[in-house]
Amino acid sequence: MTIFSGLFGRLARVPRATPVRHRTHGPVTRPRGLGILLLTTLLASGLPGAVAGQQLSLPDLTPVSAEWAPVDSVLSTFLQDLPVHPGVDRELARYEGGGLSPDYRADFARVARERVEARLQREVAAVLEQGCSDRTWVEFPGKRFSRLPSPDGTRDGFENSLVLSGLVACYSEASDPESVLALYVSPETRMGAQSRLKEVFQRDGLTCYRVDGVPLLLSASLACNDVHRVDGPVAVEHSQSVLSEVDGKQPVYYKESVKVAFPTRGGVALVHVNLSRTTGLNGLEKRVGRGAIEDTLRRQAELVAEALGAPAR
């Protein structure tokens, strides 16, 4: 299972749109029957674990349409400059023992990043044009997600269990983007919501996470992420899963995640978009998993508000 991660406290300011690699840490989920078992499966993609949490209810922040241009510029420059790590192809190649062709894998990595970036830009634009309002979403794009050629149908089976999730969270004027993002990705925040993360360590410039399994129900996982971050008035973090143990472990075929914190008039907004593919999901698992993931995202944002000294109202 792959998990999110980050640094706690204020980060050193670096030039805008300059990728900087940081260590990351992340959480896991507590077993709670079928729903939590499913969510743990989804967590192999980098989603936080399920914890009961209340819907945040901070007031909407005033729209600031004029601020969209600099946020858009930082996001576009940062994401376009990021390479696709070779480990992304290696993990995709594990699906059905190489069932996805090399051409498809390369095209999928490109299309997936474009879709994640487009969704992130759309959510940020909505915040700046309409005001910030807390919300979460979990979607299952389905087998036509990439619209890439798939003569043997292997693509359909792979894409049918993709999970696209995200969050918009709003914080008061006492916050700043760097602190909000640092708290959101910090081990303290995530481990406050989850209990089974057992080890975080560095391996060849990657940050790796070892998570316990559930006896007779769920395999343990060990996965490593390549993480880049830019700090400043617009703080952004990008993470992609590039290495995971295979034997007896839960698979992580694909995970790409982007989080951005930026100022709005009256406060700071945080937007997070995550796309992942782990084990296959049937219809029941998707229905159960949706609510569990949304609860987790809300809880994660709530813990940030509490750490900032401005609990959700």
Side-chain angles (χ1 to χ4, degrees):
M1 173 182 319
T2 309
I3 9 204
F4 293 15
S5 59
L7 301 174
F8 188 85
R10 185 169 181 82
L11 303 176
R13 188 174 299 274
V14 298
R16 290 174 52 178
T18 302
V20 177
R21 184 171 296 165
H22 292 268
R23 289 182 296 177
T24 57
H25 307 259
V28 297
T29 177
R30 300 187 181 95
R32 280 206 216 148
L34 175 62
I36 295 310
L37 176 59
L38 165 65
L39 181 58
T40 309
T41 299
L42 297 178
L43 287 180
S45 69
L47 297 176
V51 177
Q54 299 179 351
Q55 171 71 46
L56 295 179
S57 57
L58 289 172
D60 287 2
L61 301 181
T62 305
V64 193
S65 299
E67 294 183 4
W68 166 240
V71 179
D72 176 61
S73 176
V74 171
L75 285 174
S76 297
T77 302
F78 175 67
L79 294 175
Q80 289 172 9
D81 286 346
L82 285 176
V84 176
H85 192 285
V88 172
D89 182 73
R90 179 176 56 243
E91 296 303 295
L92 286 170
R94 292 171 49 196
Y95 181 74
E96 294 192 356
L100 302 174
S101 72
D103 286 345
Y104 170 84
R105 299 195 305 262
D107 289 341
F108 177 83
R110 173 184 53 79
V111 170
R113 177 168 293 183
E114 290 172 355
R115 299 286 175 83
V116 169
E117 180 179 358
R119 182 60 179 268
L120 186 77
Q121 298 277 25
R122 188 164 76 245
E123 297 296 336
V124 171
V127 169
L128 292 169
E129 293 167 2
Q130 303 167 21
C132 189
S133 182
D134 297 284
R135 65 189 189 87
T136 61
W137 65 87
V138 176
E139 300 167 0
F140 303 96
K143 60 186 180 182
R144 297 294 295 164
F145 168 77
S146 71
R147 302 189 180 276
L148 294 169
S150 179
D152 61 0
T154 306
R155 174 211 64 193
D156 292 350
F158 175 77
E159 295 187 11
N160 197 44
S161 290
L162 287 168
V163 182
L164 178 67
S165 64
L167 163 144
V168 175
C170 313
Y171 300 98
S172 73
E173 63 277 2
S175 312
D176 68 86
E178 289 183 18
S179 296
V180 167
L181 180 61
L183 283 166
Y184 186 75
V185 300
S186 72
E188 289 82 359
T189 298
R190 293 187 169 101
M191 296 180 76
Q194 301 183 19
S195 64
R196 291 172 41 238
L197 175 64
K198 296 303 179 184
E199 185 180 8
V200 179
F201 60 94
Q202 298 298 304
R203 174 187 289 177
D204 298 329
L206 307 176
T207 301
C208 304
Y209 316 94
R210 190 186 307 277
V211 182
D212 276 354
V214 179
L216 303 179
L217 295 176
L218 182 71
S219 298
S221 68
L222 193 161
C224 302
N225 289 354
D226 186 41
V227 180
H228 294 261
R229 184 147 88 225
V230 59
D231 292 331
V234 177
V236 192
E237 181 178 284
H238 174 271
S239 175
Q240 53 189 337
S241 181
V242 299
L243 178 67
S244 62
E245 284 195 355
V246 178
D247 295 339
K249 297 293 193 300
Q250 187 178 355
V252 183
Y253 299 119
Y254 182 84
K255 189 277 290 184
E256 187 145 14
S257 172
V258 185
K259 310 163 214 44
V260 58
F262 56 94
T264 61
R265 189 170 296 129
V268 172
L270 171 73
V271 179
H272 172 193
V273 176
N274 185 84
L275 178 68
S276 62
R277 175 46 160 103
T278 60
T279 55
L281 301 172
N282 61 33
L284 174 61
E285 290 170 330
K286 290 177 181 178
R287 289 194 296 272
V288 174
R290 175 178 281 110
I293 296 169
E294 288 178 341
D295 284 348
T296 296
L297 291 170
R298 286 192 290 264
R299 178 57 176 160
Q300 187 111 359
E302 184 180 57
L303 288 173
V304 172
E306 293 171 359
L308 289 169
R313 300 188 294 274

